[in-house]
Amino acid sequence: MSFSANRRIVAGLLVNLLSSICIVFINKWIYVHYGFPNMTLTLVHFVVTWLGLYVCQKMHIFSPKRLPVRRIMWLALSFCGFVAFTNLSLQNNSIGTYQLAKAMTTPVIILIQTTYYKKTFSTKIKLTLVPITIGVVLNSCYDVRFNLLGTVFATLGVLVTSLYQVWVGAKQHELQVNSMQLLYYQAPLSSAFLLGIIPLFEPLTGDGGIFGPWSLPALVTVLFSGVVAFLVNLSIYWIIGNTSAVTYNMFGHFKFCITLVGGYLLFHDPLSLNQALGILCTLAGILSYTHFKLVEQEEGKSRLAQRP
């Protein structure tokens, strides 16, 4: 690789590192210090993401592909649920519990694919789900800020996120599009859905309302959160397209640890010994899953290369 290519990859990794960690802390800050309505924040993220993608396609970073609305309608609805419920989980849980709950997405995806798509997984892959699940349960049971509402939102977030991720893969294959082409049509459709239901769940005026008396710092922080959400999506696409699955996964574990530590330092989330054991247990499961998955992918490539 040339020096300039390496420099671009390092820049992409740094953008992803900073944006992925920042989005969690910024959103938590918005909920804790400003009380900004959750679904409206989600709508801001969708709109800014679409505007960012519009600029990208004008700069020829990707080429849009026309898609029939009826074929991505359920995907757009699940995208609304995925972002809204994960934000509600972040709002109602400590960052540690929020982050570990997201780790349950992998076991749920495997369950969905095994049950409904008849996909098979090796015993080694299935066994890695045990420490992940035990770690999440340990953390939840010993979280001193444990609350039923937060648990409900975290559970719904995991279920809808898992469905969304399964459907994204299926739709990309079915419609022959990449992630940016799909998101370019999905984001405005999801925005339209949210725009229709926000008045039913969140006040429009007064304190805590969409058109309430928000301070300038609050509005600037919300807009900045939308820009960071777009950078997260764009940098994921850049890293996978320009490096490899190994790089992205290993980088993901690094972000996982930093986000957890940052939550305890910035928001003074309490951490018991049992919670720490739960975090280590979950991290061990995630690392094992990634290792075995990548080994299987390499073995699959080797078998294909050896075929006459």
Side-chain angles (χ1 to χ4, degrees):
M1 279 191 185
S2 66
F3 176 73
S4 60
N6 280 327
R7 194 167 54 183
R8 284 197 299 270
I9 289 170
V10 170
L13 289 168
L14 284 173
V15 169
N16 183 260
L17 173 67
L18 295 173
S19 60
S20 298
I21 294 170
C22 278
I23 193 66
V24 176
F25 297 146
I26 292 169
N27 286 356
K28 188 70 175 178
W29 185 272
I30 288 169
Y31 297 139
V32 171
H33 294 279
Y34 301 125
F36 199 82
N38 177 276
M39 294 180 76
T40 305
L41 181 64
T42 303
L43 178 62
V44 170
H45 287 181
F46 288 173
V47 171
V48 174
T49 294
W50 181 81
L51 288 173
L53 287 169
Y54 179 77
V55 171
C56 285
Q57 66 98 4
K58 286 295 183 184
M59 294 171 64
H60 306 292
I61 293 174
F62 76 100
S63 300
K65 183 177 179 180
R66 188 171 294 278
L67 301 173
V69 172
R70 60 183 177 79
R71 295 182 71 179
I72 60 170
M73 189 174 294
W74 284 107
L75 186 67
L77 278 170
S78 68
F79 188 52
C80 291
F82 145 56
V83 179
F85 283 130
T86 50
N87 280 346
L88 282 166
S89 173
L90 178 61
Q91 185 177 359
N92 290 276
N93 291 308
S94 65
I95 287 180
T97 297
Y98 158 80
Q99 195 72 13
L100 258 71
K102 284 171 63 179
M104 284 301 294
T105 303
T106 300
V108 175
I109 286 175
I110 288 178
L111 182 64
I112 292 170
Q113 290 183 326
T114 303
T115 307
Y116 296 101
Y117 292 88
K118 307 304 177 189
K119 190 172 179 180
T120 57
F121 294 89
S122 68
T123 304
K124 286 185 291 187
I125 291 292
K126 290 177 182 176
L127 286 174
T128 62
L129 305 183
V130 176
I132 292 176
T133 307
I134 290 173
V136 172
V137 172
L138 261 177
N139 178 77
S140 300
C141 290
Y142 290 97
D143 187 352
V144 296
R145 292 187 184 175
F146 175 83
N147 66 90
L148 183 61
L149 187 61
T151 304
V152 169
F153 286 138
T155 303
L156 289 171
V158 167
L159 291 173
V160 179
T161 301
S162 302
L163 273 175
Y164 172 72
Q165 290 188 13
V166 170
W167 286 348
V168 161
K171 284 296 178 185
Q172 283 185 353
H173 180 73
E174 176 190 330
L175 301 171
Q176 293 298 296
V177 292
N178 62 37
S179 57
M180 292 183 83
Q181 289 171 323
L182 190 58
L183 191 58
Y184 183 69
Y185 279 92
Q186 184 188 304
L189 189 57
S190 297
S191 300
F193 284 140
L194 273 184
L195 203 57
I197 64 171
I198 280 176
L200 302 175
F201 294 95
E202 295 177 352
L204 296 177
T205 57
D207 288 339
I210 302 167
F211 301 107
W214 299 106
S215 65
L216 182 61
L219 294 175
V220 170
T221 308
V222 167
L223 185 60
F224 181 59
S225 172
V227 173
V228 174
F230 165 67
L231 289 175
V232 171
N233 293 323
L234 189 65
S235 59
I236 288 171
Y237 177 81
W238 172 259
I239 291 170
I240 294 174
N242 290 274
T243 58
S244 67
V246 178
T247 304
Y248 181 68
N249 276 283
M250 290 304 121
F251 208 59
H253 303 322
F254 182 51
K255 291 184 294 184
F256 178 87
C257 296
I258 290 180
T259 305
L260 286 174
V261 172
Y264 299 119
L265 294 178
L266 292 179
F267 295 95
H268 307 292
D269 292 339
L271 178 66
S272 68
L273 177 62
N274 288 314
Q275 276 184 282
L277 289 172
I279 291 168
L280 290 173
C281 196
T282 300
L283 189 58
I286 293 171
L287 287 167
S288 301
Y289 172 84
T290 304
H291 170 71
F292 290 132
K293 196 71 177 172
L294 292 171
V295 167
E296 288 181 3
Q297 287 174 357
E298 289 302 316
E299 287 174 351
K301 288 177 184 177
S302 298
R303 282 195 294 270
L304 284 173
Q306 289 169 7
R307 285 182 182 176

